[in-house]
């Protein structure tokens, strides 16, 4: 006897049917758990919400303001950067709003302001539904809290250097939301071994025993993977789901709104992003990838770390302590 209306603003009523269904099922499922546990009390026919207490235990449920007989259902709290679709569940003359948030985007504020259009877009809704499903059904890296780690450690206005990777590491304990980086204590991957070797040869700096590049990020190096998540043991498994469109937007907004940045593009994939960068405004450094398969064909001896620092000093900026 209930009418279910999906995406009132969509020209095609079925356009977002599947994603809304999956979120709505989660909403209703949690509503029933709350009802059976006594957190929600309703009239006999569910026509009215009599009371709703202790909803902090149910992240899909939240009270709406105004009508005391309305109960809003939403994915988590109302955080900045949250994208949202709206459905209605109508019963008789009463309505219960289902504000089905696609994803909690917990990202540093300066990035949120510039990327809000991406978070509000249809492709990002599809992407976050995919990512949520993957995290629920498989082991996915990095841990969810670190998906936007690169942005949270390196705010938009503090970014000086951008190093573009492709995929997070796909083995347990490696990925931490920073391209080429692994947590302290984890064996340093071969590409990073070669990066450290080039730093040593270029700048005379001893090889760092830790593969954690957080220290770079905190100095203004945005360690950006083109794809921000991956399924365990399956390299490239989250490619072509929307991440590339999002990270391309990141490159564009940096290239357009900032000047005097250094973009380091290792390998053909990273170099395919060069068309978005105005080389009259920024320094673009290219070479083969530091992988053992290619490093000897031009990565070693490229002196890009010293070139980066020389350029930053010329811009009046503090060089990176690599």
């Amino acid at each position: 006897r209930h009418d279910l209306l999906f995406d009132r603003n969509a020209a095609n009523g079925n356009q977002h049917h599947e994603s809304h269904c999956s979120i709505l099922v989660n909403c209703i499922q949690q509503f029933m758990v709350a009802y059976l546990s006594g957190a929600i009390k309703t009239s006999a026919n569910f026509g009215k919400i009599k009371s709703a207490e202790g909803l902090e235990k149910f992240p899909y449920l939240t009270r709406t303001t105004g009508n005391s007989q309305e109960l809003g259902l939403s994915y988590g709290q109302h955080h900045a950067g949250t994208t949202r679709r709206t459905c209605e569940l109508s019963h008789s003359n009463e309505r219960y709003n289902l504000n089905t948030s696609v994803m909690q985007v917990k990202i540093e504020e300066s990035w949120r302001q510039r990327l809000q259009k991406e978070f509000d877009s249809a492709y990002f809704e599809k992407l976050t539904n995919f990512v949520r499903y993957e995290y629920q059904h498989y082991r996915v890296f990095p841990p969810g809290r670190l998906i936007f780690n690169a942005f949270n450690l390196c705010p938009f206005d503090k970014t000086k250097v951008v190093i573009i990777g492709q995929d997070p590491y796909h083995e347990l304990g490696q990925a931490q939301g920073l391209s080429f980086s692994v947590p302290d204590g984890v064996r340093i991957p071969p590409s990073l071994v070669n990066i450290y070797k080039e730093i040593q040869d270029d700048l005379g700096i001893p090889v760092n025993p830790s593969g954690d590049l957080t220290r770079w990020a905190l100095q203004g190096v945005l360690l950006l993977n083109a794809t921000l998540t991956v399924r365990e043991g399956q390299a490239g498994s989250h490619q072509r789901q929307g991440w590339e469109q999002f990270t391309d937007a990141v490159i564009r907004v940096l290239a357009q709104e900032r000047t005097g940045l250094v973009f380091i593009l290792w390998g053909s994939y990273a170099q395919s992003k060069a068309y978005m960068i105005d080389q009259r405004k920024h320094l673009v450094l290219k070479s083969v990838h530091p992988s053992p398969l290619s490093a000897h064909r031009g990565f070693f001896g490229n002196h890009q770390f010293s070139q980066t620092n020389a350029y930053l000093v010329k811009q009046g900026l503090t060089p990176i302590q690599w």
Side-chain angles (χ1 to χ4, degrees):
R1 295 186 297 121
H2 291 69
D3 298 319
L4 204 55
L5 307 178
F6 292 95
D7 196 0
R8 293 171 294 174
N9 299 319
N12 179 349
N14 293 323
Q15 184 175 350
H16 300 287
H17 180 84
E18 183 177 357
S19 60
H20 284 171
C21 271
S22 61
I23 298 172
L24 187 59
V25 165
N26 288 330
C27 287
I28 295 175
Q29 198 172 39
Q30 204 160 95
F31 175 89
M32 293 308 298
V33 172
Y35 170 74
L36 291 172
S37 67
I40 294 173
K41 295 184 178 5
T42 74
S43 59
N45 64 353
F46 286 88
K48 293 182 179 180
I49 303 295
K50 288 186 173 181
S51 65
E53 305 295 338
L55 294 184
E56 65 275 2
K57 299 177 183 177
F58 304 99
Y60 278 84
L61 310 182
T62 181
R63 287 302 294 264
T64 60
T65 57
N67 191 336
S68 62
Q69 295 180 351
E70 287 189 351
L71 179 71
L73 284 75
S74 67
Y75 183 70
Q77 302 302 313
H78 296 267
H79 288 292
T82 297
T83 60
R84 190 171 298 281
R85 291 285 184 181
T86 302
C87 307
E88 285 183 348
L89 181 63
S90 299
H91 180 72
S92 300
N93 294 322
E94 302 196 11
R95 291 182 174 180
Y96 304 94
N97 294 326
L98 301 181
N99 292 319
T100 54
S101 166
V102 173
M103 186 188 218
Q104 295 288 348
V105 181
K106 297 182 179 179
I107 194 169
E108 193 274 334
E109 178 64 17
S110 65
W111 285 110
R112 186 199 63 76
Q113 292 175 5
R114 289 163 177 86
L115 298 173
Q116 187 64 54
K117 183 175 70 173
E118 307 305 314
F119 300 143
D120 290 339
S121 67
Y123 88 83
F124 202 84
E125 176 185 10
K126 181 179 178 182
L127 167 64
T128 52
N129 286 333
F130 167 79
V131 170
R132 185 183 301 112
Y133 180 88
E134 287 283 301
Y135 272 91
Q136 289 173 347
H137 293 85
Y138 304 97
R139 178 175 280 176
V140 176
F141 304 129
R145 61 186 173 81
L146 296 179
I147 292 175
F148 296 101
N149 195 29
F151 303 92
N152 294 330
L153 293 175
C154 184
F156 178 86
D157 297 319
K158 302 295 184 181
T159 299
K160 298 187 286 187
V161 181
V162 182
I163 299 179
I164 299 176
Q166 187 166 359
D167 231 18
Y169 294 120
H170 54 81
E171 299 299 335
L172 181 64
Q174 291 183 309
Q176 57 176 167
L178 305 172
S179 62
F180 296 100
S181 180
V182 292
D184 192 27
V186 175
R187 182 179 178 182
I188 300 176
S191 291
L192 186 53
V193 169
N194 288 338
I195 291 169
Y196 280 176
K197 184 177 187 302
E198 174 59 20
I199 291 173
Q200 183 178 36
D201 293 344
D202 186 16
L203 299 173
I205 297 173
V207 173
N208 196 303
S210 172
D212 188 347
L213 302 182
T214 298
R215 64 189 184 279
W216 292 5
L218 292 173
Q219 295 179 73
V221 181
L222 182 67
L223 296 163
L224 180 67
N225 276 319
T227 303
L228 299 188
T229 56
V230 67
R231 193 187 297 180
E232 182 182 24
Q234 298 185 34
S237 53
H238 286 191
Q239 292 177 5
R240 295 178 293 279
Q241 298 293 336
W243 277 131
E244 295 91 342
Q245 185 172 345
F246 173 74
T247 51
D248 280 359
V250 172
I251 296 170
R252 283 194 183 94
V253 73
L254 280 167
Q256 292 170 5
E257 296 190 20
R258 296 287 308 280
T259 58
L261 300 180
V262 181
F263 289 85
I264 299 178
L265 311 180
W266 293 328
S268 58
Y269 182 83
Q271 290 170 30
S272 72
K273 310 293 184 179
Y275 76 95
M276 294 182 280
I277 306 164
D278 186 345
Q279 297 188 40
R280 296 169 297 182
K281 295 171 55 180
H282 307 285
L283 176 63
V284 177
L285 299 176
K286 303 178 183 179
S287 84
V288 298
H289 196 276
S291 162
L293 298 175
S294 58
H296 291 279
R297 301 201 303 268
F299 179 79
F300 292 133
N302 64 27
H303 302 291
Q304 290 183 349
F305 298 99
S306 58
Q307 289 182 62
T308 295
N309 279 352
Y311 182 82
L312 293 177
V313 170
K314 189 176 179 180
Q315 304 301 314
L317 300 172
T318 304
I320 304 299
Q321 298 298 315
W322 298 106

